[in-house]
Amino acid sequence: MADGTAPPSFFLSSLDPGVGKTTALIHFVQHLLRSEHHRDVSILLCVSRLDEIARLVEEIGLDEADFAVLTRNNEVNQLSSTQPREARVLFTTHAMVMSRCHGRRFQDVEVFQYRGDVRAVRVWDEAMLPIEVVSLSTDQLASLRDPLRHTHPALAKLIEELERQLVASRGRGTHTWPDIEGATGISCWSARRGLEQRHVAYLDTLYALSGRCVLLRKLHNASTVITALDSRDAIPDDLAPVVILDASGRVRATYAQWEKATGKLVRLPSAIKSYRNLTVQVMDKGAGKTAWAKHGCSLAQEVALLIDSKPDEEWLVVYHKAVSSGGIPDLIRGLLSTTPDRVSFLNWGRHQGTNEFRHVQNVILAGVNNYSEVDYEVMTRCHSRIRNDEKVTKASVQAMEAGEHMHHILQALCRSAVRQGSASECGPCNAYIIAPKQSGIRDLIPVVFPGCKVSTWEPAKVKATGKVQQALTFAERHFEDHPDEVLRFTDLRAELGYDASNFRDRIRNHSVFKAGLEALDLEETTIGNYRYRNALAKKPQSFGSVGGSSYLADV
């Protein structure tokens, strides 16, 4: 790229963490800036996280006159007073490139240029997804009706009719989206005036889908909400040539399907890394968001008991943030019998890029990062360039799912001591993963970490004793005889001979009692004119939920 001889391809470097991608980049920039033959050659460095910019500036040893920062964060931009168009090295984010290049060619976006010319060297750190999913649900359509009814009644009427058609589809098949401007004579720009920001986003998607054949899906089986799904380019083709530095490149199906569909992705030579110093233990148990919501106490107890088994060592726990309002760390800390200060927590979504925990030799994935089946289908269509009205094979969707599992596991475990060691082998580390057997994750681990040792993490056999066991036995027998009734805490206290204070401290707040209630499928409830929970009841049965899923495709 610096010499102007690179073909217009997307070059993928998928070296594993710790092999030296970033080190190579640092030395390359240093040498380029010193090269007499490349005085006019400039660089664009695209990162995923803002804190990476300051680190790279320091490690490269850049003078303020040599670099500029272009992000949405003014504080980060002030790392240098040099104007972006005057700096040989320009740092920016993935989001900024996608935003500024939306609907435009890269070469036409002046803010990324150096003294009027396109920057010759382009580096994209971490994952690149060239296609983005766009979606619009019937709920989002409905929210547009009232704001538009008085200002643009024809548009409001079209939206109402479109909503009716989507509902009638029951979330099956495809739908040809109407040409919104052609049908109403109203431009998107005109319709946006006076709308709230969220409504502007929905409106933009409404117009962007014009004339497209969209997928119609229910995100959850029991849902009445229908979502229209399609995709669009997130990265302009003329960003190539560009080097992508992504360790997940060797396991993620997005790259394999992109490479096969377009031929524009070129894999750079890689290197084999041994993970013989890594031991991975897997517990065959559901631990998605739904499982944590229903059985959080028993899952947290498993994690806490494991941490307590090594009371003098540091731990990293990767968890689902969108459960119990982010309360999983507090739940686990509350069950520890040893000091919690040595336990760090990192939620899914922030499990990439950081090196803060690279010294930690014990890491737990308290569940894996799952998406819904619809997500995997849409991602497969995007990267394989399969039209919405064409059939997508089950095998390709399964490959996408496996690739995403491997990607997230690789990134999460490589926040720990796995990324240490030498360039040829990882540092010593013990990893523990909770995942359902049907996910196939146990079989994927040797692919992600060649040479590692895989064994079973057996659930702890914690038995209730004494009054806790008596309370659980009484509750179990009560609901066997009266499954549709409740069990008042006053009756349970009377059976145990406890007053309210002792019952709360010794029984109700006991972790083994809570785990026992989960096993019996019981929950606390409120009966009568009370503001607090004062009884136990059978949990209501839910139908059609997708265990542990989270939806990616959104406006």
Side-chain angles (χ1 to χ4, degrees):
M1 287 190 291
D3 291 335
T5 59
S9 299
F10 293 85
F11 296 94
L12 173 63
S13 174
S14 57
L15 295 172
D16 281 25
V19 173
K21 295 187 300 300
T22 303
T23 302
L25 172 63
I26 289 168
H27 284 277
F28 170 78
V29 174
Q30 291 172 338
H31 282 276
L32 183 70
L33 295 180
R34 290 197 297 261
S35 172
E36 292 293 327
H37 300 291
H38 301 87
R39 286 183 176 181
D40 296 323
V41 176
S42 57
I43 311 169
L44 178 68
L45 296 180
C46 309
V47 300
S48 59
R49 299 169 63 244
L50 293 176
D51 56 8
E52 285 294 290
I53 296 174
R55 184 178 70 86
L56 284 170
V57 168
E58 181 179 356
E59 293 187 10
I60 296 173
L62 291 171
D63 293 329
E64 188 174 339
D66 290 328
F67 78 97
V69 181
L70 179 64
T71 72
R72 291 191 177 94
N73 187 303
N74 288 331
E75 184 177 347
V76 178
N77 292 346
Q78 289 171 7
L79 287 171
S80 172
S81 60
T82 304
Q83 292 299 309
R85 298 178 191 178
E86 295 298 319
R88 288 189 64 190
V89 181
L90 177 61
F91 291 93
T92 190
T93 61
H94 299 172
M96 182 63 77
V97 172
M98 291 187 286
S99 173
R100 294 297 183 98
C101 293
H102 180 61
R104 305 170 67 188
R105 295 184 302 173
F106 174 72
Q107 67 182 32
D108 295 334
V109 184
E110 295 180 1
V111 72
F112 295 132
Q113 296 178 357
Y114 174 64
R115 296 181 178 177
D117 290 326
V118 176
R119 293 177 183 269
V121 179
R122 276 98 81 173
V123 179
W124 190 278
D125 193 31
E126 302 294 348
M128 176 183 281
L129 299 177
I131 304 293
E132 65 178 349
V133 176
V134 291
S135 70
L136 197 62
S137 72
T138 47
D139 279 356
Q140 292 165 343
L141 278 171
S143 74
L144 286 171
R145 281 191 266 121
D146 284 345
L148 293 170
R149 198 177 301 281
H150 297 295
T151 57
H152 299 90
L155 182 55
K157 184 176 180 180
L158 183 147
I159 289 172
E160 192 170 359
E161 173 61 19
L162 183 56
E163 184 187 348
R164 186 193 65 76
Q165 293 172 357
L166 297 191
V167 170
S169 75
R170 298 183 181 180
R172 299 170 185 166
T174 61
H175 182 79
T176 301
W177 207 258
D179 179 351
I180 305 299
E181 185 170 350
T184 63
I186 302 167
S187 69
C188 184
W189 181 256
S190 172
R192 293 174 68 176
R193 294 173 186 168
L195 293 181
E196 296 178 11
Q197 187 173 356
R198 66 187 178 96
H199 289 142
V200 168
Y202 300 158
L203 191 75
D204 286 348
T205 304
L206 174 72
Y207 276 79
L209 294 175
S210 288
R212 305 293 294 268
C213 176
V214 301
L215 280 176
L216 299 181
R217 295 290 185 268
K218 286 184 180 180
L219 303 191
H220 305 288
N221 294 337
S223 174
T224 59
V225 178
I226 310 301
T227 299
L229 300 150
D230 198 20
S231 61
R232 63 187 175 198
D233 290 337
I235 305 295
D237 273 352
D238 71 331
L239 182 62
V242 59
V243 172
I244 307 165
L245 306 178
D246 185 9
S248 293
R250 67 176 175 85
V251 298
R252 204 171 186 184
T254 52
Y255 292 112
Q257 294 181 2
W258 178 18
E259 179 182 19
K260 182 178 179 180
T262 68
K264 295 177 181 178
L265 185 78
V266 176
R267 294 178 183 269
L268 298 176
S270 190
I272 298 173
K273 186 170 184 174
S274 169
Y275 288 90
R276 64 187 183 90
N277 296 325
L278 170 65
T279 298
V280 182
Q281 295 186 38
V282 182
M283 181 185 292
D284 295 326
K285 196 170 186 177
K289 294 177 184 177
T290 301
W292 269 97
K294 293 178 64 176
H295 308 296
C297 285
S298 57
L299 289 168
Q301 191 173 63
E302 295 288 358
V303 174
L305 287 169
L306 179 62
I307 294 172
D308 281 338
S309 70
K310 298 181 182 180
D312 300 320
E313 299 184 25
E314 290 191 59
W315 290 80
L316 172 64
V317 180
V318 182
Y319 70 99
H320 297 291
K321 185 177 181 180
V323 176
S324 302
S325 301
I328 290 178
D330 289 338
L331 182 60
I332 293 171
R333 290 189 190 101
L335 294 172
L336 292 172
S337 59
T338 55
T339 175
D341 296 343
R342 59 199 174 82
V343 185
S344 299
F345 292 88
L346 189 66
N347 63 274
W348 289 111
R350 296 188 59 82
H351 63 288
Q352 303 180 58
T354 180
N355 294 327
E356 182 180 352
F357 310 104
R358 60 185 177 185
H359 62 288
V360 179
Q361 296 187 353
N362 301 287
V363 57
I364 300 172
L365 304 190
V368 291
N369 206 24
N370 275 335
Y371 308 139
S372 72
E373 187 175 347
V374 173
D375 285 321
Y376 296 124
E377 178 192 352
V378 173
M379 293 176 71
T380 301
R381 289 183 180 278
C382 288
H383 293 90
S384 295
R385 305 303 199 271
I386 299 172
R387 296 199 318 264
N388 292 333
D389 58 353
E390 293 179 329
K391 185 177 180 180
V392 60
T393 66
K394 185 175 181 179
S396 60
V397 175
Q398 290 174 333
M400 178 63 71
E401 180 178 1
E404 291 304 285
H405 280 317
M406 291 190 286
H407 155 61
H408 290 302
I409 291 171
L410 174 66
Q411 292 294 336
L413 292 192
C414 285
R415 298 313 105 213
S416 68
V418 172
R419 69 180 302 108
Q420 299 288 74
S422 65
S424 60
E425 64 180 37
C426 74
C429 189
N430 297 295
Y432 306 85
I433 302 175
I434 309 176
K437 188 173 183 179
Q438 61 269 25
S439 68
I441 283 174
R442 185 187 292 267
D443 295 329
L444 297 177
I445 291 170
V447 179
V448 183
F449 304 108
C452 75
K453 295 177 279 292
V454 181
S455 59
T456 298
W457 173 11
E458 295 289 354
K461 294 179 173 59
V462 180
K463 293 184 178 181
T465 58
K467 291 288 189 179
V468 172
Q469 179 60 55
Q470 184 182 345
L472 290 171
T473 300
F474 184 81
E476 183 177 17
R477 289 174 180 171
H478 173 86
F479 286 101
E480 285 177 352
D481 296 335
H482 312 286
D484 298 325
E485 298 182 9
V486 299
L487 173 59
R488 293 174 181 271
F489 284 145
T490 52
D491 295 334
L492 186 53
R493 291 204 316 263
E495 171 69 18
L496 301 175
Y498 277 154
D499 59 23
S501 177
N502 281 327
F503 175 76
R504 182 182 61 251
D505 295 339
R506 299 183 182 183
I507 304 297
R508 190 173 171 186
N509 291 337
H510 199 293
S511 61
V512 176
F513 180 71
K514 291 180 178 180
L517 291 181
E518 288 181 352
L520 295 173
D521 214 24
L522 300 178
E523 65 180 1
E524 294 187 357
T525 189
T526 301
I527 59 170
N529 296 320
Y530 291 86
R531 295 190 218 175
Y532 53 87
R533 292 168 293 177
N534 59 349
L536 295 174
K538 277 285 188 181
K539 290 182 179 180
Q541 296 297 311
S542 60
F543 301 93
S545 61
V546 182
S549 69
S550 61
Y551 193 58
L552 275 182
D554 205 350
V555 175

